[in-house]
Amino acid sequence: MKKHVAIAITLVFASGIFQKASSTCGVDRAMIHINGIQTSRSDARDNMRALSSGYGPTYAGQTITYDYAYNNSNGSLWSSLAGVYFQKDVEADPDLAAAVAYGILTGDTSKITISSLQASLKSAYQNLMALNSTALAVATKTQTIAAKVNSYLNAGTDVVLVPHSQGCLYANSVFATIYSGIAGGNTRNGSVASSSRLKIVAVGDPASGVAGDPSNTSYVTAAEDGIINALRVQSFFNSWTLLPSNVKALSLGQDPVDGTGHSFIQTYINPSYSTWPKIKQAIDSAMAGLQPVGKALVSGIWDPQATGVEFHMLVNGLDISSNFGADPNLSQGAGWANYCMPLSPTTATTYAPVVYNRGSVAQAVTVAGPLGVQNTTVSAQSGIFPGMFFGAVMLVQNGTVSPYI
Amino acid sequence: MIRKLLVMVCCSSLLFACSTGGASAPAVSNASSALPAMPDRTANNATLAGIDTTGSGVRDDVHRYIFLTYTSTPKRNAMMQAAKAYRNIYLNPPQTQVAALALAKETDRASDCLFSYAETGHYSMMEAYLMARKIEAMHADTKARMTLYDSYNQFLDGTGAPLGPTAGSCDAGGGL
């Protein structure tokens, strides 16, 4: 005998959280850029625009969302340099003024012949990149960037961070912040356990390791990178080390485009240089290493053959309705929309209730579970129809969904 | 020496512009005949936003640079849009992150416009990037302007958003 289960589904229709899907959940990926020092926000955004054009909109047919987290580590460096170098004679000469402004904004000294400005820029670079791991780990910005990354992970979208220069230190720190339960993470030695949901491909890397990559190979630093090489010299007098360069950017006879050999666009993702295919290969490898099991297709279907009102819930096609009293011989009735629910969020997330129909009382949906372990509990609780209650809790272990109650 | 270097850069830009102006390139604009006069440097530098006598929203000296440096319509249109967006930062110095983000929205559109032309083959991505940096630097060309631009960027620390498509980012009349 069928039990008449009256329910109202309360899944939220939050934009970007639950995406409708016809039969299976698509896999989405995000690539997030964190820029280095001496970079304006416009420059950082253009970095990502150029990277998106170079890498393309998809990986293995899956859509990539390109995003960036602007890292303004300059403090008042630009203002300070302007105070020194924008003297009256410079300001009076439009060409010279524009060249000095370009040098200050980009750190590229190739178009400036003022030796003291070149020295100041190099010194500023090294000082800013020598920030110690403690300073970065507690920095508000690390938390801000971690929150951005978490928002993707919580929505079931796996992430590849592509940081440049000092952004690599922040990326390591962000990784350690998200995986704070995993020992060993800091900004310079990122040898923490790997993740199947978050990868780093470091570019022009001043760190001594790549977080989440015990092999410390997921980075590209050019032998011609003048900033990293200068930092390497400085590191002899400090307690930290840098990863060795692992590619020669220029072929025989090629000239560098930017004066430092450090520019993200002009050197590293320049399609004319050997750095770009190596970066592309590293991103391919990171993408392949992601194990996107972050979503399950949750479907609700009303059974029209039931005497009363009967509802079935399916997770990735598995009817779990019998666990709460509905019969298993589902007939496909009027369908309720399918939703792709994130199953491995980094933090517990409770979504506000929405009344589906039938005038029932709405309740919330909670998705909780530790990241990486992929052992996640999803509870989708319905409201109360007169005298009846419906509820379901699903346990997801290693990507396999099973009824919990 | 610096002047020589800049002349070389400008010359190479012109050469590149000519070399990319194939049969499919948009017509060359003749608007240079209506260029504003070069403003007095001292007067132009007396304010953050500089002098705009044409009402185009673009500083006169920058306006002249764009039309005298670039010969193709896509480059001129995209650079004028970018120049207008950057000048707005100096015209309306932001005091909050919200205000800075509103201004950044326009520079983002202008940058997307520059890259949209690159995506459709009018010039290279590298050239789009360098044009963006050039117009950005031209607006930060005094101590006061650089200080403001520094402040503006500090307001934007930690921000960022997913990139949308570049299509439709050019102002009316500037699109392909």
Side-chain angles (χ1 to χ4, degrees), chain A residues 39-50 52-53 65-80 82-84 86 90-102 104-106 110-114 141 144-145 148 152 257 263 265-267 269-271, chain B residues 1-3 5-7 9-10 38 41-42 45 61 65 86 89-90 100-101 104-105 107-109 111-112 114-115 119 125-126 128-130 132-134 136-166:
Chain A
T39 306
S40 69
R41 178 188 173 281
S42 295
D43 195 347
R45 188 175 183 276
D46 288 349
N47 282 348
M48 203 45 171
R49 175 65 72 193
S52 71
S53 295
T65 298
Y66 288 91
D67 202 341
Y68 66 103
Y70 176 49
N71 165 33
N72 181 302
S73 292
N74 306 316
S76 56
L77 172 65
W78 288 346
S79 300
S80 302
V84 175
F86 275 120
V90 173
E91 291 195 353
D93 183 333
D95 293 340
L96 180 58
V100 169
Y102 178 88
I104 291 176
L105 290 177
T106 64
S110 63
K111 296 179 180 60
I112 311 171
T113 54
I114 304 173
K141 189 159 40 194
T144 302
I145 300 171
K148 174 190 271 287
Y152 279 100
V257 176
S263 165
I265 288 186
Q266 296 185 76
T267 291
I269 66 169
N270 187 331
Chain B
M1 179 63 182
I2 290 169
R3 283 182 185 281
L5 279 171
L6 287 169
V7 168
V9 169
C10 290
M38 190 67 176
R41 184 72 178 163
T42 303
N45 288 352
D61 57 332
Y65 167 82
Y86 277 106
I89 297 169
Y90 300 87
L101 281 169
K105 192 175 176 184
T107 59
D108 290 350
R109 281 188 66 250
S111 181
D112 285 350
L114 274 166
F115 276 92
E119 287 176 356
M125 288 287 168
M126 187 71 74
Y129 172 77
L130 291 175
R133 298 289 73 73
K134 177 67 182 179
E136 180 182 42
M138 287 189 78
H139 285 82
D141 62 346
T142 67
K143 177 184 172 183
R145 288 169 182 156
M146 179 65 78
T147 300
L148 168 63
Y149 197 59
D150 192 353
S151 168
Y152 162 79
N153 276 277
Q154 287 185 43
F155 276 127
L156 296 170
D157 188 24
T159 64
L163 302 184
T166 59

Side-chain angles (χ1 to χ4, degrees), chain A residues 280-303:
Chain A
K280 191 171 181 300
Q281 185 181 44
I283 295 174
D284 283 343
S285 177
M287 287 286 184
L290 296 174
Q291 296 173 17
V293 293
K295 295 180 184 178
L297 183 67
V298 180
S299 313
I301 297 175
W302 298 99
D303 184 350

Side-chain angles (χ1 to χ4, degrees), chain B residues 38-135:
Chain B
M38 190 67 176
D40 173 76
R41 184 72 178 163
T42 303
N44 193 39
N45 288 352
T47 59
L48 290 168
I51 294 173
D52 167 28
T53 58
T54 67
S56 63
V58 175
R59 249 169 54 182
D60 284 356
D61 57 332
V62 178
H63 191 150
R64 288 180 60 83
Y65 167 82
I66 291 170
F67 276 81
L68 294 175
T69 304
Y70 303 105
T71 56
S72 72
T73 300
K75 286 182 179 176
R76 287 178 171 177
N77 288 345
M79 287 291 269
M80 286 293 281
Q81 183 174 335
K84 187 177 177 181
Y86 277 106
R87 183 169 181 262
N88 269 339
I89 297 169
Y90 300 87
L91 204 56
N92 307 289
Q95 301 299 319
T96 64
Q97 186 181 75
V98 171
L101 281 169
L103 292 163
K105 192 175 176 184
E106 290 309 305
T107 59
D108 290 350
R109 281 188 66 250
S111 181
D112 285 350
C113 178
L114 274 166
F115 276 92
S116 73
Y117 285 118
E119 287 176 356
T120 49
H122 288 274
Y123 44 76
S124 69
M125 288 287 168
M126 187 71 74
E127 195 167 7
Y129 172 77
L130 291 175
M131 285 195 291
R133 298 289 73 73
K134 177 67 182 179
I135 210 72

